[in-house]
């Protein structure tokens, strides 16, 4: 059985690419280089995603939906530019989960995960520390490199916030992280990590 690919590969409006990394629109309040998608009306709880057909559904909802299924795969066939962002999102979620201790409360976990998300010293495609440089093209020039770094920072912050809302679901009420999410802390998608 193959891994799950992104539905955004079939988008009739191709996204702007930096190298071959897509700058897809996001549903976020975090400032960045892409236009924000509208929030669902009526608003959804922080731990839920809109329907896939909704105009508010974005690639980060898909990353969180496919994370647990895709982490079991050692191989992944890139079928379009959105898959490159999906791969990056899965690696970043994996990094975030490794920062959450099973005994950590919401406050400590939020601090640790948001520090990781806000860190501006991260590798981008073309850097020596990037895990799969053979699958990603580097940015063309310094300006593209800066735009890609801003976009990836926006993705990291929004993805961290959404992940924390799911790991610390208010419905459980005990203030402890979900064991169903933390059981994936040791798994490495494609045997790699950021």
């Amino acid at each position: 059985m193959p891994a799950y690919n992104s539905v955004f590969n079939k988008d009739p409006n191709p996204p702007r690419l930096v190298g071959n990394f897509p700058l897809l629109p996001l549903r976020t309040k975090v400032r960045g280089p892409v236009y924000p998608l509208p929030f669902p009306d009526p608003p959804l709880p922080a731990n839920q995603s809109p329907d896939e057909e909704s105009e508010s559904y974005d690639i980060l909802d898909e990353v969180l939906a496919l994370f647990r299924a895709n982490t079991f795969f050692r191989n992944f066939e890139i079928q379009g530019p959105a898959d490159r962002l999906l791969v990056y999102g899965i690696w970043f979620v994996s990094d975030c989960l490794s920062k959450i201790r099973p005994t950590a409360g919401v406050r400590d976990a939020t601090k640790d995960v948001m520090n990781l998300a806000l860190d501006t010293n991260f590798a981008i495609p073309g850097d020596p520390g990037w895990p799969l440089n053979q699958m990603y093209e580097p940015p063309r020039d310094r300006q593209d490199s800066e735009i890609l770094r801003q976009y990836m920072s926006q993705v990291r912050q929004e993805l961290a916030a959404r992940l924390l809302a799911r790991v610390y679901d208010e419905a459980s009420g005990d203030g402890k992280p979900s064991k169903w999410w933390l059981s994936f802390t040791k798994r490495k998608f494609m045997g790699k990590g950021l």
Side-chain angles (χ1 to χ4, degrees), residues 111-150:
K111 188 177 106 185
D112 293 341
V113 170
M114 291 314 284
N115 281 342
L116 176 66
L118 292 168
D119 183 12
T120 57
N121 189 22
F122 57 87
I124 63 172
D127 288 352
W130 186 256
L132 283 175
N133 268 326
Q134 66 270 24
M135 288 172 43
Y136 291 83
E137 294 174 11
R140 201 175 51 227
D141 54 26
R142 188 179 210 143
Q143 182 180 2
D144 274 2
S145 179
E146 187 55 36
I147 288 170
L148 181 59
R149 188 170 293 282
Q150 288 172 1

Side-chain angles (χ1 to χ4, degrees), residues 42-184:
L44 291 171
N47 63 344
Q48 291 182 9
S49 295
D51 287 339
E52 205 173 291
E53 290 78 36
S54 167
E55 66 178 344
S56 299
Y57 187 77
D58 67 8
I59 187 77
L60 303 184
D61 292 319
E62 188 175 52
V63 166
L64 292 168
L66 298 179
F67 170 76
R68 292 185 275 188
N70 276 354
T71 52
F72 290 105
F73 292 98
R74 303 232 356 113
N75 299 315
F76 185 81
E77 181 185 347
I78 302 271
Q79 295 181 351
D83 282 342
R84 288 182 179 84
L85 181 52
L86 179 68
V87 167
Y88 178 72
I90 290 173
W91 283 335
F92 182 70
V93 167
S94 212
D95 264 11
C96 289
L97 288 175
S98 71
K99 297 285 182 200
I100 301 173
R101 296 180 315 277
T103 58
V106 178
R107 195 174 188 177
D108 292 335
T110 301
K111 188 177 106 185
D112 293 341
V113 170
M114 291 314 284
N115 281 342
L116 176 66
L118 292 168
D119 183 12
T120 57
N121 189 22
F122 57 87
I124 63 172
D127 288 352
W130 186 256
L132 283 175
N133 268 326
Q134 66 270 24
M135 288 172 43
Y136 291 83
E137 294 174 11
R140 201 175 51 227
D141 54 26
R142 188 179 210 143
Q143 182 180 2
D144 274 2
S145 179
E146 187 55 36
I147 288 170
L148 181 59
R149 188 170 293 282
Q150 288 172 1
Y151 179 72
M152 290 173 86
S153 180
Q154 186 182 22
V155 165
R156 290 163 67 97
Q157 291 173 52
E158 183 62 29
L159 197 51
R162 291 188 198 179
L163 176 67
L164 285 165
R166 283 167 174 76
V167 172
Y168 287 92
D169 183 7
E170 290 87 30
S172 67
D174 60 2
K176 295 203 182 317
S178 165
K179 64 182 179 184
W180 304 113
W181 278 96
L182 292 188
S183 63
F184 288 86

